[in-house]
Structure formats: structure tokens, C-alpha cells
């Protein structure tokens, strides 16, 4: 008895100390949590106020539910207030008792003070009633995530499935009846999961029976101590019978309320009489809402709210509907039950099932429900390797803005902490995906240090992964990172590594970096490094050959023919006598050397050609300058003299006579010594004299000239004798005097006219030198003869009539004409 008294005294002392520390009016739960803002409400008549909170021990997020006893005191009946508190205590104890993924998880048991009840749970957003529009007992300024909340179809589907799964657990495993399925009893967590709560009206089956005590709703009791009348099954309210299927009726009404703006099909305003009327009209009311439900749910829900319980499916059967047979639903369900799974199952799920499912998950669900589970794995003491593929899959599906706001903090934290080499390699293998989403200003500080540190490590597998990663992330690297951080480490790894695989990875890395390197880095750093490698390993040699061939493709790499001749080829030539190369490898080497020689030859020839063209252009420009200088000097001297010769010369250049035109046309004739002499003589005859201009012989009539002058080749006047054509179109010419052949016959005849008649035969006149043309005459024919002395074809003249004499050769004709000229002059 003394011991009992001492125990009671100790309890009183402890209670006094506790109240002293906590203070009047403060719930003891404030010692364990920092209470934040009031955000939501839940429970019967929304008596639970939900606050955001942070646990003081580990700074983890939580939610604190607080019931203010003053609310019950307003009922003016102490017994009713005590009954409300008792229902709420029972609810918290039942939550603490059940451990199921779809039942609200408690993280701190109930704490009670003289004016409040409180407990802490996993972080939640609000009750389903709040999100459907019931804002009773909520702060005036609603949080945006509650005020503007919108459910996706997938969220509703999985939420209903979660509540069904919880009921299946209670009915099948615990053999309990929930008794108050309604929106106020469903809590939506921060991860978007729908958790079942409000189990203060729970009943346990007795003696293995599936029937329970039915307590109809009555206005004589407080609404806070009774289930929600709008969701009670009709057999409870009207027939006073209660089974597991009564919960299924309430679940059907819950689904209708979701698609009916949060309102039940039975809105009886807490009036049992109205309830009876609504039940009788239930089929009609459901018809007005059925078109809003998913088609696959219309028939099952209609059966669930049927008054005849025989048509209602059990929770187990309803969960097996094809409507819920969705890979996304299965993946979400697996995530919610991870704590009950084996490690092998979890590893397979993360690396295969979840990776395949993530592209099908809406982004809202992905960030809110899936990624937090991955984040939990990343923050564990020993980060598991199997979560990395799922993380990369989420990053791939995110936009740049979503990654920066929702994923980057967790990813950057993972990159910065110490972890196993397996996790590091797994990250490096897909690092390009993370870098593609990372802002440029964060790459250097958050992502690239992982690469640098792994290259500096002693792990061969890590070094290989880092070198391979550099090739994949080249497009995200700047010149400074390549020049100062990556290239020196790559060269060091090649020189210090004893494994061929690391050396090959280093060379491949350099080859992939060429497009990002400046020309000076390639010529001053990379080329000397490659030419100094003295390895006989065929793999390494083939890699070096590949790099040099890559450099030869474009001029931007700076591999000039000088570098090829002085550095590259001397380093490759010794390998041509290496015995370790097979035929194919030797052919590759020789082909590269031949291509290099071709490059040298092309540049050499091009340089010579350009030099020759430069010299020719220089001399051509010099000659043109000298010619222009002399011409300008001559013209200037003539201008200064103001001589008559200059003016006449200028006039003669502007106005040409017919003979000048004929002379210019004759310049296109074939050049012969005789023709050149003839052209020079004609030029002198046509050129005007500065002092005395001889009258043209064409201006004189035949009768005005003496007989020996009519056929003379010498023009009148003291000018230099020239050869000109004398017209003979006057028919008074003496037939006894034979026509002398003109020197005009030495060239071509430009035109053909009948100029005179001698001995009764028509003669054709030839105005100028040139090849004799063949007139379109029927009697004309071409005759050919051979020079008897040299037995070769002679210059052939066209014979226009059979009686015309055959034309003599050029020299003979010229000699004969000159002799006749002098003989005529003597006579």
C-alpha cells in the first residue's frame, strides 16, 4: 500500500514538473515539434486542426493534429464534450495500432493537456474534404496548394485504389469495420498519397462473425460523435444491420462525391427524414452523375450503392477491377510498400520496372510521389547503386525549369557527398544527362568536380569511367576547363597508367576533344604529346593514327604540311619496320603516310605555281607600266609641239578611208614575207603626208591619164610608192595592151565583181590581198597543180572561166609584176 502511495505521489510530482516546463495552455507536443502554420482540417465535423511542423531532433518535416477542447465545450453539455474527446483518443490509438502503407502513419503518439489533444503524423497537405471544397475550420487565407488544387485522373484512380486497399486490409487482415468512410476521413499526404484515417468509429468483429453493431444516426447526439450521415449505408440507418459491405456503400458514395464537386448524392442536412427521401431517389440522382465517372467505374459504383447488399462487391474484388490494372498504379503501390519488400525486389524494381514506367507517369505525380522515394534512398547512409537508373530516368523526363527547382538540390547534394565507387561510376556513365539539364553556372562548381576527383583517384574503373564521360560531355565544356583541368589530367593518366585500357581511353578522350580545342593547343600541346609516344602496342598506334587522320580532315586543327614533315611523319616512320603489326595494321599506317606525302606534294606544287604566277604578274605589270609611260610621253610631246602633224594624225585616226578599211581587213590574212612587204607598201601609200597630199588615183578618169599610167601601180605624186588597185571599168582600154597581173593577186580576194572586158572576156576584179573566194557560178571550178620543182601543192587560184590564165605563184607573180612595171615606165 505504501508503494502504491509513493507511486501516485511520484506521478503527481512528475505531472507538476511537466506542466511547469510546458506552461499553462501549451500541449506537451510542442517540446518535440516546432509548430508552424495552420493549413487544413479533418475528422468528424472537421474538429482536427492540421499544422505544418518540424521535428526538433532531426529537423524532419511533419504535421501536427490538434483538437481544441473549447470547441466541444460549446455544446453546453460536459458529457458530450467528453464523448468527443473519447472518440478522438480512440482514433489516435487505432492509428498507432495499425501499420499499413495506406493508413495514416503516426510519428508521435497523442499528447494531451487540459485544453487540447495533439499527435504528429507524416507530412500531409490536407484532408480530401478540404481539397474538394470543404473549408470548415480552416484559416481565412487558404494556402495556394489547397485553394487552387486540381486532381489528375491518375491521382483519383490511385487514390480510390489506396482507400480500397486500406479497407481490404481492415476487412481481411484485421477483421475490422471502419464505420466512417467519407472525405473527412481521407488524408492526402505531401507525396500525394491518400491515407485512411478517421477510425474513431472502428468496430472489431466478434467471434469471427462479419456482422457488427449498427448505431443509427440521431439528432439527439452531437454530430461530432457520430459518422457523417450523408455517407452512412441505408441498412445501418434504416434496418439496423451492419456488415463489411456497409463500408463499400460508403466507398461508392465517396467516389460519387469526388466527381460531384465534393457533394454526396445524399445531402440530407443532418436530418434523418431527408435521408430516407434521398435513399428512395438514389438511382435517379446517380444517373445525373454517372456520365462524369470513368466508364469503367459506372457499373461497379452503381452496384456498390445498391440498397441490396448482395450486389455490392467486397474490397478485395473491387481492387481487382481491370480499371486498376495499370503499370503506373502497380509502380506507385510498390513504392508505397517499400518497407515491406526485400532488397532484391527493391533493386529489380528500381533498375527495371520503375525505369520503364517513369515515362508514363504524369510530371505532377512524378515529382510529388515518385521522386521523394528516390530522394530518401539518396539520403541514406549507404547510397544504393540501384536507385541511380531511376534518378537518371526522372532527370530525363524533367524540363530545365523543373530540374532547377525540384531536382537539382538533391542531385547536387548526391554529387558532392562521398559515396562508393560503384555509385560514382553509375553517375559518370549517365552524367551527360545531368549536365544537359544543369545551368552553365553550376556545371563548374557542382558537376565537373566529380569528374576531376575520379580522374585523380586510384581506381582504374573510376579512371576509365571518367575518361569515357569526358568524351560524352564535350559539348558542355569550355576552353578553360579543357586546357587547364582535363587535358593535363588526361596526359598524366596516359603516362602513369600501366593498363592499356586506360591509355586507350585517354587517347579516345583526346580525339573527342579535338573539336573543342583551339588550334594553338593542338599544335603546341597535343601534337608534341602524340609524337613523343614510343609505344609498340598496335592498339595504341592505331589510336594515334586515328587521331592524326582526324586532324587531316579539316584545316581548323592546324596540322600543316610543315608539322607533318618535321614532327608527325618522323614519329610514325619507325613503326613501318615493326614486326608486331599485322597486314591490316601495316596497311593503315602506310595509307596514312602516303596521304601525308600527298599533302606535302600538293602544298609544294601549289607554292611553286603561286611563285611563278607572282613573277609573271610582276613582269607583266612592269611592261605595261613602261609601255604606258612611253605612250604618255610621246603624246604629251606632240601636244606640247602643237604641230599640224598631231592634228592630222588625230583626224586620220578618227576618219578611215575605204583603202584603210581594206588594209585593216587584209591584216587577218595569212602572214608571208611577200604579204608583209605588200602590207607595208600599202600602209605607206594610204598614210597621209604631212605637207602634200597626193590626189587619189580613183578620183581621175581613165581619159585624164596617159596610156602608160592607166595600168600603173605607182600613184601620182612624190610620196613613197605604194601598190594600189587601178580601176579598169572603162571600156575604152586598148585591147592590144595585155592586163598586167596585180600584186593584189598574192592574197585573198575580198569581193568578186566583173570589172572590165578585155578580148571579149569577162574579168573579175580583186580589191585586196587574201585567199581567192569561189563565186557561186556554175562554170566555176577549182583546179590543183603541183610545183614541178619541189613536187608539192602550189598556191591555187580559182579559175572563173576556162580562158583565164592560170595564176602564178606568189614570188613569180611579184617578179613579173615588177618587171612589167619598169618596162612600161621605159616605154
Amino acid at each position: 500500500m505504501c508503494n502504491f502511495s509513493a507511486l501516485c505521489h511520484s506521478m503527481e510530482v512528475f505531472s507538476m514538473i511537466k506542466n511547469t516546463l510546458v506552461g499553462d495552455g501549451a500541449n506537451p507536443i510542442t517540446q518535440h515539434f516546432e509548430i508552424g502554420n495552420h493549413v487544413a482540417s479533418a475528422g468528424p465535423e472537421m474538429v482536427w486542426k492540421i499544422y505544418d511542423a518540424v521535428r526538433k531532433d532531426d529537423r524532419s518535416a511533419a504535421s501536427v493534429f490538434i483538437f481544441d477542447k473549447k470547441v466541444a465545450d460549446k455544446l453546453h453539455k460536459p458529457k458530450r464534450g467528453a464523448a468527443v474527446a473519447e472518440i478522438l483518443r480512440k482514433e489516435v490509438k487505432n492509428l498507432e495500432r495499425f501499420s499499413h502503407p495506406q493508413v495514416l502513419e503516426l510519428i508521435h503518439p497523442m499528447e494531451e493537456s487540459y485544453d487540447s489533444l495533439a499527435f504528429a503524423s507524416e507530412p500531409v497537405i490536407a484532408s480530401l474534404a478540404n481539397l474538394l471544397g470543404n473549408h470548415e475550420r480552416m484559416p481565412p487565407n487558404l494556402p495556394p496548394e489547397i485553394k487552387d488544387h486540381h486532381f489528375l485522373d491518375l491521382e483519383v484512380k490511385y487514390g480510390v485504389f489506396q482507400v480500397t486497399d486500406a479497407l481490404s486490409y481492415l476487412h481481411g487482415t484485421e477483421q475490422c469495420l471502419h464505420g466512417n468512410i467519407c472525405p473527412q476521413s481521407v488524408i492526402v499526404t505531401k507525396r500525394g498519397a491518400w491515407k485512411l484515417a478517421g477510425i474513431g468509429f472502428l468496430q472489431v468483429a466478434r467471434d469471427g462473425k462479419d456482422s457488427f453493431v449498427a448505431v443509427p444516426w440521431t439528432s439527439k447526439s452531437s454530430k461530432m460523435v457520430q459518422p457523417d450521415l450523408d455517407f452512412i449505408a441505408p441498412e445501418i440507418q434504416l434496418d439496423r444491420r451492419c456488415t463489411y459491405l456497409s463500408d463499400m456503400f460508403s466507398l461508392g458514395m465517396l467516389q460519387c462525391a469526388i466527381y460531384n464537386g465534393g457533394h454526396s448524392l445524399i445531402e440530407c442536412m443532418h436530418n434523418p427524414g431527408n435521408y430516407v427521401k434521398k435513399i428512395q431517389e438514389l438511382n435517379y440522382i446517380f444517373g445525373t452523375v454517372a456520365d462524369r465517372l470513368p466508364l469503367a467505374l459506372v457499373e461497379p459504383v452503381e452496384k456498390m450503392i445498391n440498397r441490396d447488399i448482395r450486389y455490392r462487391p467486397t474490397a478485395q474484388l473491387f481492387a481487382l477491377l481491370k480499371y486498376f490494372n495499370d503499370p503506373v498504379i502497380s509502380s506507385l503501390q510498390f513504392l508505397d510498400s517499400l518497407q515491406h519488400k526485400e532488397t532484391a525486389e527493391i533493386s529489380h524494381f528500381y533498375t527495371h520496372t520503375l525505369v520503364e514506367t517513369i515515362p508514363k507517369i504524369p510530371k505532377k505525380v512524378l515529382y510529388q510521389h515518385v521522386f521523394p522515394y528516390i530522394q530518401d534512398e539518396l539520403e541514406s547512409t549507404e547510397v544504393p547503386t540501384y536507385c541511380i537508373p531511376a534518378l537518371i530516368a526522372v532527370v530525363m523526363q524533367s524540363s530545365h525549369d523543373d530540374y532547377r527547382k525540384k531536382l537539382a538540390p538533391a542531385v547536387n547534394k548526391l554529387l558532392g557527398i562521398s559515396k562508393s565507387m560503384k555509385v560514382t561510376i553509375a553517375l559518370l556513365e549517365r552524367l551527360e544527362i545531368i549536365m544537359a539539364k544543369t545551368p552553365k553556372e553550376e556545371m563548374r562548381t557542382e558537376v565537373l568536380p566529380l569528374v576531376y576527383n575520379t580522374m585523380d583517384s586510384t581506381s582504374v574503373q573510376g579512371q576509365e569511367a571518367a575518361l569515357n564521360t569526358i568524351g560524352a560531355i564535350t559539348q558542355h565544356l569550355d576552353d578553360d576547363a579543357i586546357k587547364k583541368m582535363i587535358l593535363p589530367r588526361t596526359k598524366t593518366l596516359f603516362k602513369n597508367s600501366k593498363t592499356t585500357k586506360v591509355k586507350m581511353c585517354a587517347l579516345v578522350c583526346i580525339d573527342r576533344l579535338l573539336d573543342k580545342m583551339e588550334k594553338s593547343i593542338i599544335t603546341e600541346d597535343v601534337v608534341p604529346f602524340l609524337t613523343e609516344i614510343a609505344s609498340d602496342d598496335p592498339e595504341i598506334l592505331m589510336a594515334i593514327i586515328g587521331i592524326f587522320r582526324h586532324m587531316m580532315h579539316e584545316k581548323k586543327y592546324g596540322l600543316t604540311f610543315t608539322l607533318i614533315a618535321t614532327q608527325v611523319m618522323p614519329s610514325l616512320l619507325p613503326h613501318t619496320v615493326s614486326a608486331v603489326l599485322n597486314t591490316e595494321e601495316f596497311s593503315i599506317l602506310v595509307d596514312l603516310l602516303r596521304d601525308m606525302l600527298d599533302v606535302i606534294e600538293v602544298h609544294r606544287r601549289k607554292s611553286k605555281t603561286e611563285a611563278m604566277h607572282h613573277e609573271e604578274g610582276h613582269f607583266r605589270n612592269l611592261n605595261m607600266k613602261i609601255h604606258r609611260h612611253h605612250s604618255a610621253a610621246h603624246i604629251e610631246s606632240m601636244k606640247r609641239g602643237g604641230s599640224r602633224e598631231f592634228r592630222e594624225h588625230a583626224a586620220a585616226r578618227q576618219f578611215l578611208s575605204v583603202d584603210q578599211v581594206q588594209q585593216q581587213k587584209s591584216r587577218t590574212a595569212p602572214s608571208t614575207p611577200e604579204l608583209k612587204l605588200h602590207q607595208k607598201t600599202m600602209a605607206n601609200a594610204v598614210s597621209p603626208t604631212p605637207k602634200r597630199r597626193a590626189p587619189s588615183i580613183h578620183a581621175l578618169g581613165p581619159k585624164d591619164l596617159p596610156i602608160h599610167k592607166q595600168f600603173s601601180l605607182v600613184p601620182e605624186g612624190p610620196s613613197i610608192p605604194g601598190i594600189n588597185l587601178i580601176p579598169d571599168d572603162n571600156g575604152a582600154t586598148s585591147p592590144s595592151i595585155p592586163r598586167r597581173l596585180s600584186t593584189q593577186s598574192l592574197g585573198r580576194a575580198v569581193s568578186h565583181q566583173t570589172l572590165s572586158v578585155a578580148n571579149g572576156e569577162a574579168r573579175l576584179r580583186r580589191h585586196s590581198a587574201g585567199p581567192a573566194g569561189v563565186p557561186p557560178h556554175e562554170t566555176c571550178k577549182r583546179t590543183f597543180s603541183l610545183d614541178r620543182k619541189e613536187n608539192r601543192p602550189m598556191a591555187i587560184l580559182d579559175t572563173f572561166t576556162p580562158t583565164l590564165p592560170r595564176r602564178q605563184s606568189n614570188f613569180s607573180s611579184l617578179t613579173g609584176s615588177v618587171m612589167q612595171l619598169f618596162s612600161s615606165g621605159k616605154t
Side-chain angles (χ1 to χ4, degrees):
M1 192 68 179
C2 295
N3 292 337
F4 179 76
S5 300
L7 180 61
C8 291
H9 179 71
S10 300
M11 293 290 293
E12 291 176 359
V13 172
F14 177 76
S15 179
M16 292 175 60
I17 295 174
K18 181 176 180 181
N19 291 333
T20 302
L21 294 174
V22 174
D24 294 339
N27 192 288
I29 202 169
T30 57
Q31 297 179 353
H32 307 282
F33 295 88
E34 295 178 2
I35 309 300
N37 296 327
H38 177 204
V39 295
S41 58
E45 291 300 305
M46 313 295 279
V47 295
W48 286 113
K49 291 184 178 181
I50 305 175
Y51 295 82
D52 287 334
V54 176
R55 181 184 285 176
K56 294 182 178 180
D57 293 343
D58 55 5
R59 310 302 301 173
S60 60
S63 291
V64 172
F65 290 66
I66 297 178
F67 167 64
D68 188 357
K69 293 180 180 181
K70 294 179 182 180
V71 175
D73 293 342
K74 294 179 182 180
L75 299 176
H76 305 293
K77 292 182 180 181
K79 291 184 178 180
R80 289 188 177 183
V84 173
E86 186 60 29
I87 292 293
L88 298 180
R89 291 189 188 96
K90 182 180 179 181
E91 176 183 355
V92 177
K93 289 181 180 179
N94 288 332
L95 290 176
E96 190 175 359
R97 168 189 171 188
F98 300 129
S99 177
H100 189 269
Q102 313 309 337
V103 176
L104 184 64
E105 179 185 359
L106 263 66
I107 60 176
H108 191 85
M110 175 176 287
E111 295 283 358
E112 184 175 0
S113 65
Y114 78 97
D115 60 351
S116 64
L117 297 175
F119 70 94
S121 73
E122 59 184 306
V124 304
I125 297 176
S127 64
L128 182 60
N130 296 152
L131 299 178
L132 291 177
N134 186 350
H135 300 152
E136 185 180 358
R137 302 185 193 281
M138 289 188 65
N141 297 325
L142 297 177
E145 59 269 18
I146 296 177
K147 182 179 180 180
D148 303 326
H149 191 83
H150 173 71
F151 283 112
L152 300 176
D153 292 340
L154 178 64
E155 290 182 284
V156 176
K157 179 192 291 189
Y158 184 53
V160 172
F161 179 82
Q162 288 175 300
V163 175
T164 305
D165 190 27
L167 282 179
S168 179
Y169 164 74
L170 292 177
H171 295 171
T173 305
E174 299 295 337
Q175 296 182 348
C176 295
L177 177 75
H178 184 279
N180 190 28
I181 300 295
C182 61
Q184 298 91 313
S185 299
V186 178
I187 307 298
V188 181
T189 68
K190 289 289 182 68
R191 295 187 177 183
W194 292 15
K195 299 295 185 75
L196 189 59
I199 50 181
F201 303 97
L202 185 82
Q203 294 187 53
V204 180
R206 292 170 297 179
D207 301 329
K209 298 179 180 180
D210 59 353
S211 61
F212 302 90
V213 177
V215 181
W217 196 94
T218 175
S219 57
K220 295 179 181 181
S221 300
S222 172
K223 295 178 290 185
M224 296 182 181
V225 296
Q226 299 182 82
D228 193 334
L229 180 59
D230 293 344
F231 292 88
I232 290 179
E235 63 270 17
I236 296 177
Q237 185 67 22
L238 302 178
D239 303 332
R240 295 181 180 271
R241 291 186 299 110
C242 184
T243 64
Y244 292 122
L245 297 177
S246 299
D247 279 346
M248 297 307 296
F249 177 90
S250 301
L251 180 61
M253 296 302 294
L254 173 66
Q255 296 180 70
C256 293
I258 293 171
Y259 293 99
N260 194 34
H263 302 286
S264 172
L265 299 183
I266 309 173
E267 285 190 310
C268 56
M269 306 299 293
H270 307 292
N271 189 333
N274 293 338
Y275 178 87
V276 176
K277 295 178 182 179
K278 292 290 184 178
I279 287 295
Q280 293 174 353
E281 301 173 355
L282 188 57
N283 290 337
Y284 171 77
I285 299 174
F286 176 76
T288 62
V289 181
D291 59 339
R292 306 173 197 171
L293 273 70
L295 184 61
L297 285 181
V298 173
E299 183 179 355
V301 171
E302 186 178 14
K303 292 180 179 180
M304 293 171 73
I305 62 176
N306 198 303
R307 280 205 61 181
D308 192 344
I309 63 174
R310 294 176 298 177
Y311 291 98
R312 298 177 192 171
T314 62
Q316 293 84 351
L317 290 177
F318 184 71
L320 295 177
L321 281 178
K322 189 177 181 180
Y323 174 70
F324 299 114
N325 187 16
D326 187 336
V328 176
I329 299 296
S330 301
S331 297
L332 296 177
Q333 184 184 17
F334 191 97
L335 286 172
D336 289 336
S337 58
L338 281 177
Q339 56 185 348
H340 305 292
K341 304 294 183 180
E342 298 293 334
T343 304
E345 292 180 289
I346 297 175
S347 176
H348 182 271
F349 171 76
Y350 271 114
T351 55
H352 296 86
T353 307
L354 185 58
V355 171
E356 295 173 359
T357 309
I358 282 176
K360 305 175 185 177
I361 302 176
K363 289 187 177 181
K364 179 183 177 182
V365 179
L366 186 64
Y367 300 141
Q368 185 180 14
H369 196 104
V370 177
F371 182 69
Y373 285 101
I374 300 175
Q375 191 173 0
D376 290 343
E377 299 286 354
L378 299 178
E379 293 176 354
S380 59
T381 306
E382 186 68 25
V383 179
T385 307
Y386 56 71
C387 67
I388 302 302
L391 171 66
I392 298 301
V394 175
V395 173
M396 289 180 64
Q397 296 299 314
S398 65
S399 64
H400 289 274
D401 191 56
D402 289 341
Y403 176 82
R404 181 175 57 85
K405 294 179 179 179
K406 300 176 180 180
L407 306 181
V411 175
N412 293 340
K413 182 178 180 181
L414 173 65
L415 296 177
I417 64 175
S418 61
K419 46 197 165 291
S420 66
M421 186 54 64
K422 290 184 178 181
V423 175
T424 301
I425 293 174
L427 286 171
L428 289 173
E429 289 175 349
R430 307 304 298 272
L431 192 62
E432 71 275 10
I433 297 175
I434 297 177
M435 292 196 70
K437 306 290 184 178
T438 304
K440 292 184 178 180
E441 58 272 12
E442 296 182 6
M443 286 185 185
R444 180 174 298 182
T445 58
E446 303 294 343
V447 182
L448 290 180
L450 176 67
V451 180
Y452 303 151
N453 295 335
T454 309
M455 294 178 72
D456 295 337
S457 67
T458 57
S459 172
V460 176
Q461 292 81 5
Q463 294 172 354
E464 294 176 10
L467 290 171
N468 292 332
T469 300
I470 293 173
I473 63 175
T474 302
Q475 57 181 339
H476 304 292
L477 301 176
D478 54 20
D479 295 337
D480 191 60
I482 293 175
K483 183 177 181 180
K484 297 181 180 180
M485 305 299 293
I486 295 179
L487 188 57
R489 284 180 167 85
T490 303
K491 293 165 59 178
T492 302
L493 282 177
F494 183 90
K495 295 176 181 178
N496 298 337
S497 179
K498 298 180 180 179
T499 61
T500 303
K501 197 170 183 179
V502 173
K503 292 178 179 291
M504 289 294 296
C505 290
L507 293 176
V508 172
C509 176
I510 292 175
D511 184 60
R512 292 180 178 179
L513 289 174
L514 287 179
D515 292 334
K516 295 287 291 185
M517 291 184 186
E518 296 179 355
K519 185 185 296 185
S520 59
I521 299 177
I522 296 175
T523 57
E524 299 174 5
D525 202 348
V526 177
V527 173
F529 167 71
L530 295 176
T531 56
E532 292 173 0
I533 297 176
S535 175
D536 292 333
D537 193 324
E539 293 185 30
I540 295 177
L541 178 60
M542 291 299 104
I544 296 173
I545 291 174
I547 296 175
F548 282 134
R549 186 167 290 282
H550 185 185
M551 292 181 183
M552 292 178 63
H553 283 171
E554 297 185 29
K555 293 182 179 180
K556 67 178 183 179
Y557 300 122
L559 190 62
T560 62
F561 71 99
T562 303
L563 284 176
I564 293 175
T566 58
Q567 296 187 34
V568 180
M569 290 189 69
S571 67
L572 295 177
L573 285 173
H575 295 287
T576 57
V577 296
S578 176
V580 297
L581 299 181
N582 58 32
T583 304
E584 183 179 359
E585 294 166 346
F586 178 78
S587 300
I588 294 174
L589 173 60
V590 172
D591 289 343
L592 177 64
L593 292 173
R594 286 173 177 168
D595 292 343
M596 290 181 173
L597 285 174
D598 291 341
V599 171
I600 296 173
E601 181 181 5
V602 168
H603 282 80
R604 183 71 176 177
R605 292 182 180 278
K606 184 178 180 181
S607 300
K608 289 293 184 182
T609 304
E610 291 177 352
M612 293 176 61
H613 289 171
H614 178 71
E615 292 179 0
E616 291 178 359
H618 174 72
F619 286 118
R620 188 183 298 110
N621 294 335
L622 182 61
N623 291 335
M624 290 179 65
K625 290 180 181 178
I626 294 174
H627 177 69
R628 286 197 297 267
H629 175 72
H630 289 173
S631 299
H634 176 65
I635 293 173
E636 187 66 26
S637 63
M638 294 181 69
K639 286 183 178 180
R640 286 196 301 267
S643 62
R644 178 181 176 185
E645 292 84 349
F646 176 77
R647 292 192 298 271
E648 291 182 356
H649 180 70
R653 292 181 60 186
Q654 296 178 3
F655 303 96
L656 301 178
S657 65
V658 175
D659 297 314
Q660 288 175 311
V661 173
Q662 298 290 347
Q663 180 64 21
Q664 288 180 3
K665 290 183 178 180
S666 66
R667 290 174 185 173
T668 61
S671 178
T672 61
E674 295 83 1
L675 187 57
K676 288 183 178 180
L677 177 61
H678 167 65
Q679 292 175 350
K680 183 177 180 181
T681 307
M682 289 294 294
N684 294 332
V686 174
S687 301
T689 58
K691 294 182 179 181
R692 180 180 178 182
R693 182 179 179 86
S696 173
I697 196 169
H698 297 284
L700 302 176
K703 296 180 181 180
D704 299 331
L705 296 174
I707 295 299
H708 70 277
K709 293 289 187 180
Q710 292 183 11
F711 297 93
S712 175
L713 299 178
V714 181
E716 286 289 327
S719 60
I720 300 174
I723 300 176
N724 204 341
L725 183 64
I726 301 175
D728 54 359
D729 52 354
N730 192 349
T733 306
S734 176
S736 61
I737 301 176
R739 178 185 175 91
R740 296 187 300 273
L741 295 177
S742 172
T743 54
Q744 306 294 338
S745 62
L746 300 178
R748 297 178 301 178
V750 176
S751 62
H752 305 279
Q753 300 177 359
T754 304
L755 301 179
S756 64
V757 179
N759 298 328
E761 298 179 359
R763 293 181 179 274
L764 295 180
R765 177 184 176 187
R766 295 172 178 81
H767 290 287
S768 64
V774 181
H777 197 277
E778 295 180 358
T779 61
C780 296
K781 61 180 180 178
R782 185 180 295 270
T783 59
F784 299 89
S785 62
L786 296 175
D787 191 341
R788 296 178 179 178
K789 295 181 180 181
E790 300 181 9
N791 194 20
R792 58 180 177 82
M794 299 173 56
I796 306 301
L797 299 176
D798 293 334
T799 305
F800 299 102
T801 61
T803 59
L804 291 176
R806 184 168 60 89
R807 177 173 290 177
Q808 299 177 1
S809 62
N810 292 340
F811 183 74
S812 300
S813 177
L814 177 62
T815 305
S817 298
V818 174
M819 295 301 294
Q820 291 181 13
L821 175 64
F822 285 101
S823 61
S824 299
K826 292 178 181 181
T827 59

